[in-house]
Amino acid sequence: MNLKNYKIPAILAVLYWIPATLYLFSETGTGSNSFLVPGCILGFAFGYGGSMLLALLGQLITLIVLILIGRLLYEPLRRRRADEK
């Protein structure tokens, strides 16, 4: 497993995950944000009836899932670029 192949998917996942996590933990009641809600689902599910620590655990699991999905989607592009060189 080459960690260099996870660099771009990880950066993209973190760029989505940070606003989603801030949205989940904000108390301002900003309403529905349909773009960020998918990034909050596990955090909300674990935190509902639980604690903020469980919500954070859910968000960390979400981050890992986002990185893996990003890697899955990025891999064909990386291979195509490698073939063109």
Side-chain angles (χ1 to χ4, degrees), residues 22-44:
L22 292 174
Y23 177 75
L24 176 68
F25 290 117
S26 70
E27 295 180 13
T28 59
T30 58
S32 176
N33 188 336
S34 58
F35 179 70
L36 295 176
V37 168
C40 302
I41 290 175
L42 283 179
F44 178 77

PDB file of all heavy atoms in Angstrom, residues 22-44:
ATOM      1  N   LEU A  22     -17.835  21.225  11.291  1.00  0.00           N
ATOM      2  CA  LEU A  22     -18.200  22.512  11.895  1.00  0.00           C
ATOM      3  C   LEU A  22     -19.703  22.738  11.826  1.00  0.00           C
ATOM      4  O   LEU A  22     -20.310  23.255  12.765  1.00  0.00           O
ATOM      5  CB  LEU A  22     -17.453  23.651  11.201  1.00  0.00           C
ATOM      6  CG  LEU A  22     -15.944  23.678  11.420  1.00  0.00           C
ATOM      7  CD1 LEU A  22     -15.310  24.765  10.560  1.00  0.00           C
ATOM      8  CD2 LEU A  22     -15.605  23.872  12.886  1.00  0.00           C
ATOM      9  N   TYR A  23     -20.314  22.340  10.720  1.00  0.00           N
ATOM     10  CA  TYR A  23     -21.765  22.473  10.567  1.00  0.00           C
ATOM     11  C   TYR A  23     -22.499  21.606  11.597  1.00  0.00           C
ATOM     12  O   TYR A  23     -23.471  22.044  12.205  1.00  0.00           O
ATOM     13  CB  TYR A  23     -22.158  22.082   9.147  1.00  0.00           C
ATOM     14  CG  TYR A  23     -23.639  22.111   8.895  1.00  0.00           C
ATOM     15  CD1 TYR A  23     -24.310  23.310   8.735  1.00  0.00           C
ATOM     16  CD2 TYR A  23     -24.371  20.934   8.812  1.00  0.00           C
ATOM     17  CE1 TYR A  23     -25.662  23.352   8.500  1.00  0.00           C
ATOM     18  CE2 TYR A  23     -25.725  20.957   8.576  1.00  0.00           C
ATOM     19  CZ  TYR A  23     -26.378  22.167   8.425  1.00  0.00           C
ATOM     20  OH  TYR A  23     -27.717  22.191   8.209  1.00  0.00           O
ATOM     21  N   LEU A  24     -21.988  20.383  11.807  1.00  0.00           N
ATOM     22  CA  LEU A  24     -22.622  19.474  12.764  1.00  0.00           C
ATOM     23  C   LEU A  24     -22.554  20.020  14.178  1.00  0.00           C
ATOM     24  O   LEU A  24     -23.530  19.966  14.920  1.00  0.00           O
ATOM     25  CB  LEU A  24     -21.964  18.094  12.705  1.00  0.00           C
ATOM     26  CG  LEU A  24     -22.464  17.071  13.729  1.00  0.00           C
ATOM     27  CD1 LEU A  24     -23.908  16.687  13.422  1.00  0.00           C
ATOM     28  CD2 LEU A  24     -21.582  15.848  13.729  1.00  0.00           C
ATOM     29  N   PHE A  25     -21.408  20.559  14.562  1.00  0.00           N
ATOM     30  CA  PHE A  25     -21.216  21.012  15.934  1.00  0.00           C
ATOM     31  C   PHE A  25     -21.608  22.463  16.172  1.00  0.00           C
ATOM     32  O   PHE A  25     -21.513  22.959  17.284  1.00  0.00           O
ATOM     33  CB  PHE A  25     -19.765  20.791  16.365  1.00  0.00           C
ATOM     34  CG  PHE A  25     -19.424  19.330  16.537  1.00  0.00           C
ATOM     35  CD1 PHE A  25     -18.466  18.740  15.738  1.00  0.00           C
ATOM     36  CD2 PHE A  25     -20.069  18.564  17.473  1.00  0.00           C
ATOM     37  CE1 PHE A  25     -18.146  17.403  15.884  1.00  0.00           C
ATOM     38  CE2 PHE A  25     -19.768  17.231  17.640  1.00  0.00           C
ATOM     39  CZ  PHE A  25     -18.805  16.645  16.841  1.00  0.00           C
ATOM     40  N   SER A  26     -22.060  23.158  15.129  1.00  0.00           N
ATOM     41  CA  SER A  26     -22.464  24.549  15.332  1.00  0.00           C
ATOM     42  C   SER A  26     -23.811  24.601  16.034  1.00  0.00           C
ATOM     43  O   SER A  26     -24.672  23.764  15.820  1.00  0.00           O
ATOM     44  CB  SER A  26     -22.541  25.292  14.000  1.00  0.00           C
ATOM     45  OG  SER A  26     -23.633  24.832  13.246  1.00  0.00           O
ATOM     46  N   GLU A  27     -23.959  25.575  16.872  1.00  0.00           N
ATOM     47  CA  GLU A  27     -25.206  25.737  17.620  1.00  0.00           C
ATOM     48  C   GLU A  27     -26.026  26.904  17.108  1.00  0.00           C
ATOM     49  O   GLU A  27     -26.996  27.307  17.727  1.00  0.00           O
ATOM     50  CB  GLU A  27     -24.884  25.927  19.104  1.00  0.00           C
ATOM     51  CG  GLU A  27     -24.243  24.704  19.724  1.00  0.00           C
ATOM     52  CD  GLU A  27     -23.944  24.912  21.194  1.00  0.00           C
ATOM     53  OE1 GLU A  27     -24.455  25.890  21.777  1.00  0.00           O
ATOM     54  OE2 GLU A  27     -23.210  24.108  21.751  1.00  0.00           O
ATOM     55  N   THR A  28     -25.654  27.434  15.979  1.00  0.00           N
ATOM     56  CA  THR A  28     -26.341  28.617  15.472  1.00  0.00           C
ATOM     57  C   THR A  28     -27.651  28.264  14.792  1.00  0.00           C
ATOM     58  O   THR A  28     -28.457  29.153  14.532  1.00  0.00           O
ATOM     59  CB  THR A  28     -25.448  29.374  14.473  1.00  0.00           C
ATOM     60  OG1 THR A  28     -25.113  28.492  13.402  1.00  0.00           O
ATOM     61  CG2 THR A  28     -24.200  29.888  15.153  1.00  0.00           C
ATOM     62  N   GLY A  29     -27.867  26.992  14.480  1.00  0.00           N
ATOM     63  CA  GLY A  29     -29.105  26.617  13.820  1.00  0.00           C
ATOM     64  C   GLY A  29     -29.196  27.194  12.432  1.00  0.00           C
ATOM     65  O   GLY A  29     -30.181  27.849  12.094  1.00  0.00           O
ATOM     66  N   THR A  30     -28.187  26.977  11.624  1.00  0.00           N
ATOM     67  CA  THR A  30     -28.115  27.590  10.306  1.00  0.00           C
ATOM     68  C   THR A  30     -29.095  26.985   9.314  1.00  0.00           C
ATOM     69  O   THR A  30     -29.132  27.406   8.176  1.00  0.00           O
ATOM     70  CB  THR A  30     -26.691  27.471   9.743  1.00  0.00           C
ATOM     71  OG1 THR A  30     -26.329  26.085   9.694  1.00  0.00           O
ATOM     72  CG2 THR A  30     -25.702  28.230  10.592  1.00  0.00           C
ATOM     73  N   GLY A  31     -29.863  26.019   9.724  1.00  0.00           N
ATOM     74  CA  GLY A  31     -30.819  25.403   8.810  1.00  0.00           C
ATOM     75  C   GLY A  31     -30.197  24.252   8.049  1.00  0.00           C
ATOM     76  O   GLY A  31     -29.133  23.765   8.384  1.00  0.00           O
ATOM     77  N   SER A  32     -30.858  23.842   7.018  1.00  0.00           N
ATOM     78  CA  SER A  32     -30.400  22.691   6.249  1.00  0.00           C
ATOM     79  C   SER A  32     -29.383  23.118   5.201  1.00  0.00           C
ATOM     80  O   SER A  32     -29.576  24.078   4.484  1.00  0.00           O
ATOM     81  CB  SER A  32     -31.590  22.012   5.571  1.00  0.00           C
ATOM     82  OG  SER A  32     -31.137  20.955   4.767  1.00  0.00           O
ATOM     83  N   ASN A  33     -28.324  22.389   5.125  1.00  0.00           N
ATOM     84  CA  ASN A  33     -27.317  22.592   4.096  1.00  0.00           C
ATOM     85  C   ASN A  33     -27.139  21.246   3.407  1.00  0.00           C
ATOM     86  O   ASN A  33     -26.405  20.393   3.880  1.00  0.00           O
ATOM     87  CB  ASN A  33     -26.004  23.087   4.689  1.00  0.00           C
ATOM     88  CG  ASN A  33     -25.008  23.477   3.625  1.00  0.00           C
ATOM     89  OD1 ASN A  33     -25.079  23.009   2.498  1.00  0.00           O
ATOM     90  ND2 ASN A  33     -24.091  24.330   3.993  1.00  0.00           N
ATOM     91  N   SER A  34     -27.842  21.051   2.310  1.00  0.00           N
ATOM     92  CA  SER A  34     -27.887  19.735   1.682  1.00  0.00           C
ATOM     93  C   SER A  34     -26.532  19.275   1.164  1.00  0.00           C
ATOM     94  O   SER A  34     -26.314  18.089   0.970  1.00  0.00           O
ATOM     95  CB  SER A  34     -28.918  19.716   0.558  1.00  0.00           C
ATOM     96  OG  SER A  34     -28.615  20.696  -0.407  1.00  0.00           O
ATOM     97  N   PHE A  35     -25.591  20.187   0.952  1.00  0.00           N
ATOM     98  CA  PHE A  35     -24.261  19.792   0.497  1.00  0.00           C
ATOM     99  C   PHE A  35     -23.447  19.184   1.634  1.00  0.00           C
ATOM    100  O   PHE A  35     -22.684  18.251   1.438  1.00  0.00           O
ATOM    101  CB  PHE A  35     -23.524  20.997  -0.091  1.00  0.00           C
ATOM    102  CG  PHE A  35     -22.137  20.680  -0.555  1.00  0.00           C
ATOM    103  CD1 PHE A  35     -21.934  19.892  -1.679  1.00  0.00           C
ATOM    104  CD2 PHE A  35     -21.039  21.156   0.127  1.00  0.00           C
ATOM    105  CE1 PHE A  35     -20.654  19.586  -2.105  1.00  0.00           C
ATOM    106  CE2 PHE A  35     -19.759  20.865  -0.301  1.00  0.00           C
ATOM    107  CZ  PHE A  35     -19.561  20.070  -1.418  1.00  0.00           C
ATOM    108  N   LEU A  36     -23.588  19.708   2.846  1.00  0.00           N
ATOM    109  CA  LEU A  36     -22.793  19.237   3.977  1.00  0.00           C
ATOM    110  C   LEU A  36     -23.443  18.126   4.777  1.00  0.00           C
ATOM    111  O   LEU A  36     -22.766  17.428   5.517  1.00  0.00           O
ATOM    112  CB  LEU A  36     -22.459  20.402   4.903  1.00  0.00           C
ATOM    113  CG  LEU A  36     -21.564  21.487   4.312  1.00  0.00           C
ATOM    114  CD1 LEU A  36     -21.394  22.609   5.304  1.00  0.00           C
ATOM    115  CD2 LEU A  36     -20.228  20.927   3.897  1.00  0.00           C
ATOM    116  N   VAL A  37     -24.738  17.928   4.650  1.00  0.00           N
ATOM    117  CA  VAL A  37     -25.443  16.937   5.456  1.00  0.00           C
ATOM    118  C   VAL A  37     -24.882  15.523   5.290  1.00  0.00           C
ATOM    119  O   VAL A  37     -24.713  14.821   6.289  1.00  0.00           O
ATOM    120  CB  VAL A  37     -26.970  16.972   5.178  1.00  0.00           C
ATOM    121  CG1 VAL A  37     -27.677  15.780   5.774  1.00  0.00           C
ATOM    122  CG2 VAL A  37     -27.547  18.268   5.741  1.00  0.00           C
ATOM    123  N   PRO A  38     -24.527  15.061   4.087  1.00  0.00           N
ATOM    124  CA  PRO A  38     -23.956  13.713   4.000  1.00  0.00           C
ATOM    125  C   PRO A  38     -22.679  13.540   4.827  1.00  0.00           C
ATOM    126  O   PRO A  38     -22.405  12.448   5.318  1.00  0.00           O
ATOM    127  CB  PRO A  38     -23.665  13.538   2.508  1.00  0.00           C
ATOM    128  CG  PRO A  38     -24.635  14.433   1.839  1.00  0.00           C
ATOM    129  CD  PRO A  38     -24.779  15.614   2.762  1.00  0.00           C
ATOM    130  N   GLY A  39     -21.924  14.589   5.018  1.00  0.00           N
ATOM    131  CA  GLY A  39     -20.721  14.516   5.840  1.00  0.00           C
ATOM    132  C   GLY A  39     -21.010  14.508   7.323  1.00  0.00           C
ATOM    133  O   GLY A  39     -20.109  14.325   8.132  1.00  0.00           O
ATOM    134  N   CYS A  40     -22.250  14.697   7.711  1.00  0.00           N
ATOM    135  CA  CYS A  40     -22.637  14.745   9.122  1.00  0.00           C
ATOM    136  C   CYS A  40     -23.433  13.525   9.567  1.00  0.00           C
ATOM    137  O   CYS A  40     -23.719  13.394  10.748  1.00  0.00           O
ATOM    138  CB  CYS A  40     -23.499  15.980   9.386  1.00  0.00           C
ATOM    139  SG  CYS A  40     -22.742  17.531   8.979  1.00  0.00           S
ATOM    140  N   ILE A  41     -23.798  12.651   8.663  1.00  0.00           N
ATOM    141  CA  ILE A  41     -24.751  11.588   8.981  1.00  0.00           C
ATOM    142  C   ILE A  41     -24.255  10.681  10.099  1.00  0.00           C
ATOM    143  O   ILE A  41     -24.971  10.446  11.073  1.00  0.00           O
ATOM    144  CB  ILE A  41     -25.112  10.788   7.718  1.00  0.00           C
ATOM    145  CG1 ILE A  41     -25.948  11.668   6.802  1.00  0.00           C
ATOM    146  CG2 ILE A  41     -25.862   9.512   8.062  1.00  0.00           C
ATOM    147  CD1 ILE A  41     -26.279  11.061   5.470  1.00  0.00           C
ATOM    148  N   LEU A  42     -23.037  10.143   9.999  1.00  0.00           N
ATOM    149  CA  LEU A  42     -22.544   9.255  11.055  1.00  0.00           C
ATOM    150  C   LEU A  42     -22.328  10.004  12.364  1.00  0.00           C
ATOM    151  O   LEU A  42     -22.602   9.470  13.432  1.00  0.00           O
ATOM    152  CB  LEU A  42     -21.252   8.560  10.634  1.00  0.00           C
ATOM    153  CG  LEU A  42     -21.407   7.407   9.671  1.00  0.00           C
ATOM    154  CD1 LEU A  42     -20.050   6.835   9.322  1.00  0.00           C
ATOM    155  CD2 LEU A  42     -22.284   6.322  10.243  1.00  0.00           C
ATOM    156  N   GLY A  43     -21.827  11.227  12.282  1.00  0.00           N
ATOM    157  CA  GLY A  43     -21.647  12.014  13.493  1.00  0.00           C
ATOM    158  C   GLY A  43     -22.964  12.276  14.192  1.00  0.00           C
ATOM    159  O   GLY A  43     -23.071  12.172  15.412  1.00  0.00           O
ATOM    160  N   PHE A  44     -23.985  12.583  13.407  1.00  0.00           N
ATOM    161  CA  PHE A  44     -25.313  12.802  13.985  1.00  0.00           C
ATOM    162  C   PHE A  44     -25.872  11.510  14.560  1.00  0.00           C
ATOM    163  O   PHE A  44     -26.411  11.487  15.660  1.00  0.00           O
ATOM    164  CB  PHE A  44     -26.267  13.361  12.929  1.00  0.00           C
ATOM    165  CG  PHE A  44     -27.656  13.562  13.449  1.00  0.00           C
ATOM    166  CD1 PHE A  44     -27.951  14.641  14.254  1.00  0.00           C
ATOM    167  CD2 PHE A  44     -28.663  12.658  13.149  1.00  0.00           C
ATOM    168  CE1 PHE A  44     -29.235  14.828  14.755  1.00  0.00           C
ATOM    169  CE2 PHE A  44     -29.940  12.838  13.632  1.00  0.00           C
ATOM    170  CZ  PHE A  44     -30.224  13.925  14.440  1.00  0.00           C
TER     171      PHE A  44
END
